[in-house]
Amino acid sequence: MQQDYSRKISERLWNLPDKGELESQREATFIDDIIQKSHIEKELLTETDGIETVFDGGAGCGRFSILLAKMGCKVTHFDISRPMLEKARELAAEAGVSENITFVEGALEDLSQYADKSFDMVISFDAPISYTYPNQEKVIGELIRIARKKVMFSVASRLGYLPYLSNPIQKNQFIINPECSDAWVQRCIANRQSAIDSFTFDKRAIEKFMCDGLSGGEEEIAEYERGGTPWCITYAFLPDELKSLLERHGVKNIRMAGPGAYARTIPNEILVKIMSNEQDKNDFLEICHKYDSNPYVCGMGKDNLFIKGDIEAPEAIQTVERASIGEGE
């Protein structure tokens, strides 16, 4: 597979004209999106002391760049999608924080315009890192390179995605309102029975994904070449793999979570009932955050594997290296 196809496919997919509007409404459409965004917001709000500048890579419609801008941070909102950048500008203007946000169109595969330690905190949520395959490890390294104090990412979770291969109707569990006009919701509902009827258990596909974590490839490339807009080729991480990768780049105090791990055990009817009561909803989201932050369930988040940590000071890295050399002698 040619290395630039992931980027080409991502650019085409995320630049569909309706992407800005659709992505901005996800929390009004699907409960799993509410849970994931709530988890990330709670994490961000505990990490902003001493944070003045933020790089939001794959910032979408501004869910978190606008939040941080409201808190007084200067945010670089970086995304590959023009429709989402336009929607983010619109929402930032409505929130009165446009002066705190710099909007940049670009791909995560190239952050060469930014010097080392350019931002106090670097964030990237909802798996844009996973869409940069086969460059995902390089992209993580670059995101860490431009961070001065903290990093916070969410990537596609291999253990979290594996159950999907045995559940073609998994998204139906999280529909808030089956009567809404959202095309994706209506497609999930209309195709529910046919998805069940046509389902076959594919042990080989499950074992392959368990081994290599790769979703997509030659079929997506062929569809792209025909002028289609396939879903992005996606690399899904294992928890230990992701943690080790950050450690190799000097990140310390690493903490992980699996947003959605608790909620995926609850049927749609109960989830909708919880979400219909504001107090129950807030209490539920707090419990989800606590449960999903337990290291024993971090790999079983609904879609994403969340990770955050502090940037190791260069002096600390040099101290470790000197100690290692001394041990070798």
Side-chain angles (χ1 to χ4, degrees), residues 6 73 89 124 138 163 188 193 243 313:
S6 289
C73 297
R89 286 191 182 95
S124 180
K138 176 186 175 184
C188 287
Q193 192 58 50
K243 182 180 179 183

Side-chain angles (χ1 to χ4, degrees), residues 145-157:
R145 176 185 66 79
I146 65 174
R148 184 181 304 116
K149 296 180 179 180
K150 296 178 182 292
V151 294
M152 199 177 294
F153 309 139
S154 66
V155 300
S157 168

